[in-house]
Amino acid sequence: MRKIILSAIAVMAFGFTNAQETRFGVKGGVNLSNIVGGDVDGTKSLVGFHVGGFAEIKITDKFAVQPELLYSAQGSTLEAGPFFGDVDVKLNYLNIPVLAKYYIVPKFSVEAGPQLGILLSAKSEGEDVKDGFKSVDFGFNLGAGFHFTEDLSINLRYTIGISPIAEDADIDDEEDYYDSAKNSNLALSLAYKF
């Protein structure tokens, strides 16, 4: 984790020193999240939201680095069977993605990069279940954006979970790692740059 944080700081420092222009903005939108893998047989996507801020650090006309700080409501609906019904597991994260952003044309961009998530709370049916989840989550983002103007854009991003989220995840080999429960999140955002 320390290596990832130091790498992100180095990328941002490099970006600020070589930046042609840095713009700050706010964004928010809807999440469609799920918990995939693990021992959970039946899950359904849970609708949540995200809100936060970002900095777009232009390195060239076509390439930028975009660190973000987002509050993200994620989770999943678990199918508990015919007698118990469905159970919502709500996970709230402070997500810190650092994205490489490339403008294919001035109105359309693609992006990719790592994300660090800090678990703020975890609830199931109103009960605190934070002890059952790891306090840190790692993911990788892939996305695209359409820019209506220089200030206003819409973005679609998929975050692939790359670290197990269960506190008691028993990882003995590569197969256990791939089969472990991880976050999955599709986010649609509206962003405004100042």
Side-chain angles (χ1 to χ4, degrees):
M1 181 170 86
R2 188 178 300 163
K3 288 180 184 179
I4 291 175
I5 292 171
L6 291 175
S7 297
I9 291 170
V11 166
M12 286 188 281
F14 174 78
F16 277 117
T17 58
N18 292 312
Q20 291 183 343
E21 176 186 18
T22 300
R23 296 191 63 195
F24 297 92
V26 293
K27 68 186 303 187
V30 65
N31 290 338
L32 189 60
S33 61
N34 207 340
I35 297 172
V36 296
D39 295 331
V40 182
D41 290 331
T43 64
K44 297 180 198 169
S45 296
L46 188 67
V47 176
F49 70 95
H50 61 275
V51 64
F54 64 92
E56 184 184 70
I57 306 160
K58 281 274 192 124
I59 308 300
T60 68
D61 286 341
K62 291 196 167 274
F63 181 72
V65 175
Q66 184 167 303
E68 299 178 357
L69 189 62
L70 302 171
Y71 173 84
S72 184
Q74 299 171 203
S76 187
T77 299
L78 308 178
E79 295 174 355
F83 300 110
F84 301 105
D86 293 342
V87 176
D88 288 345
V89 176
K90 297 180 179 180
L91 307 173
N92 297 311
Y93 285 94
L94 178 63
N95 287 332
I96 308 165
V98 178
L99 305 163
K101 189 171 183 180
Y102 182 76
Y103 284 85
I104 296 171
V105 294
K107 290 204 173 280
F108 186 74
S109 64
V110 291
E111 61 192 28
Q115 174 176 289
L116 170 70
I118 300 165
L119 183 64
L120 301 174
S121 69
K123 295 196 181 291
S124 178
E125 300 303 303
E127 298 290 322
D128 185 355
V129 293
K130 191 174 178 184
D131 290 343
F133 293 91
K134 292 187 183 283
S135 59
V136 175
D137 178 48
F138 294 101
F140 190 81
N141 296 291
L142 297 169
F146 180 78
H147 306 269
F148 300 106
T149 66
E150 286 188 13
D151 301 329
L152 185 65
S153 63
I154 192 167
N155 177 269
L156 184 65
R157 180 184 301 166
Y158 179 63
T159 306
I160 303 162
I162 57 176
S163 67
I165 60 171
E167 187 60 52
D168 61 352
D170 191 17
I171 310 294
D172 293 329
D173 56 27
E174 189 175 316
E175 188 175 329
D176 288 343
Y177 172 78
Y178 287 116
D179 290 341
S180 62
K182 298 176 184 69
N183 279 315
S184 170
N185 190 50
L186 182 66
L188 180 65
S189 308
L190 190 65
Y192 184 79
K193 288 185 275 194
F194 303 111

